[in-house]
Amino acid sequence: RLVHVTESAPLVRDNAGKHYAVVGGFSVPSANGDGQQGSVSLAGRRAVLNVTLDNLLKGAATQAVQNMNIAMGIDEYTGIPVQEKPDMSLA
């Protein structure tokens, strides 16, 4: 619930003030030995993954609340606003 996966690279502006991390990325076609772009085969595919998070919320405050909840034996998401789908501008 605190990690969302998107089909494109996430932008920091889309994650500011949120209690979750967003993971996304894009594929990079491989190049042939002659430096020309080649067809992407299963063995030659590469991907770039990006993760964004609000360092003060998910990075510190949310983690502290999660740890306190677990230590006290209550649901780890108690007191944390959880959003099912992120508000993303995938442009």
Side-chain angles (χ1 to χ4, degrees), residues 23-43:
V23 179
F26 53 92
S27 64
V28 179
S30 61
N32 292 333
D34 59 5
Q36 298 295 318
Q37 291 288 78
S39 63
V40 178
S41 66
L42 186 59

Side-chain angles (χ1 to χ4, degrees), residues 1-69:
R1 292 195 263 176
L2 295 176
V3 176
H4 297 276
V5 178
T6 64
E7 294 183 10
S8 63
L11 302 174
V12 173
R13 70 173 182 227
D14 295 323
N15 220 37
K18 305 296 191 302
H19 292 270
Y20 53 80
V22 180
V23 179
F26 53 92
S27 64
V28 179
S30 61
N32 292 333
D34 59 5
Q36 298 295 318
Q37 291 288 78
S39 63
V40 178
S41 66
L42 186 59
R45 280 200 270 195
R46 296 182 296 160
V48 176
L49 296 178
N50 300 77
V51 178
T52 61
L53 59 88
D54 186 318
N55 198 30
L56 295 176
L57 288 176
K58 179 56 187 145
T62 302
Q63 184 176 351
V65 172
Q66 277 183 285
N67 291 339
M68 181 184 65
N69 289 344

Side-chain angles (χ1 to χ4, degrees), residues 4 20 83-87:
H4 297 276
Y20 53 80
Q83 187 175 356
E84 292 303 319
K85 289 191 114 186
D87 298 326

